[in-house]
Amino acid sequence: MNKHSGLVYLAGPLTGMDGGIDGYAIAWRCEATNYLEEFGIKTISPTRNSEDTYNNSIIRLSYENTKHANIKSTGLNNLHDVRRSDLVLVNFLESEEVSIGTCTEIGMAMTLLKPIVLVCTIGSRYSQHPTINLLSYGPYSSLSDGLEMVLHVL
């Protein structure tokens, strides 16, 4: 097994995703982290330290009952995380609504000249978007194919 290095930011929709902590929004990030760690690649997720943003069924945008989280600090943390990452892996699979936060993270990555690997349903608005399509590797229709490209780029 070849060893790589780097830090990958795991971007993708959270708000409104079904399943809460056990749902796809968290599961794919765990899968990607476990896979990439086998190759010496670290990941960072906007879901870290976010236990208070979940309920039992649907991830919601809420900063109630959190000591240090608010809309501004969350956005600044995500910008800092994208800036220090070596690559941004974007996963829009299972997403039915447009994710403003994820699209903002894509814009940040583009501005900072970070490589972007795009995972989404082929034919979706994301795979058809001229800017996202032009400035990212992909689109890949499966997380495993996207992860293979991450290894190739890093």
Side-chain angles (χ1 to χ4, degrees):
M1 168 182 349
N2 292 333
K3 284 291 184 179
H4 300 261
S5 64
L7 181 65
V8 174
Y9 182 78
L10 304 176
L14 292 170
T15 303
M17 295 291 287
D18 288 334
I21 292 176
D22 297 322
Y24 185 74
I26 304 301
W28 82 261
R29 287 174 168 89
C30 292
E31 180 182 343
T33 297
N34 291 337
Y35 179 81
L36 294 172
E37 281 181 349
E38 291 181 25
F39 296 91
I41 298 170
K42 297 196 179 301
T43 63
I44 189 158
S45 171
T47 62
R48 73 190 192 292
N49 304 322
S50 299
E51 296 83 10
D52 290 332
T53 64
Y54 305 106
N55 65 22
N56 290 331
S57 60
I58 295 180
I59 298 174
R60 57 188 163 74
L61 184 60
S62 173
Y63 300 98
E64 304 163 11
N65 303 319
T66 57
K67 186 174 182 180
H68 300 289
N70 58 55
I71 290 172
K72 185 174 182 176
S73 67
T74 297
L76 290 172
N77 288 341
N78 294 350
L79 171 61
H80 175 68
D81 291 343
V82 169
R83 183 178 28 212
R84 69 190 182 112
S85 68
D86 298 302
L87 181 145
V88 175
L89 174 61
V90 179
N91 184 352
F92 282 117
L93 293 175
E94 306 288 325
S95 173
E96 295 181 17
E97 299 177 22
V98 172
S99 173
I100 296 169
T102 303
C103 290
T104 301
E105 292 164 346
I106 291 170
M108 291 177 201
M110 289 175 178
T111 301
L112 296 167
L113 303 176
K114 302 291 181 175
I116 300 166
V117 174
L118 176 64
V119 177
C120 65
T121 303
I122 304 302
S124 70
R125 65 178 64 109
Y126 304 109
S127 71
Q128 301 295 320
H129 192 282
T131 305
I132 293 173
N133 197 315
L134 176 67
L135 298 175
S136 64
Y137 293 95
Y140 296 98
S141 60
S142 71
L143 181 58
S144 60
D145 288 345
L147 290 169
E148 289 296 321
M149 180 50 77
V150 168
L151 294 179
H152 178 74
V153 174
L154 292 180

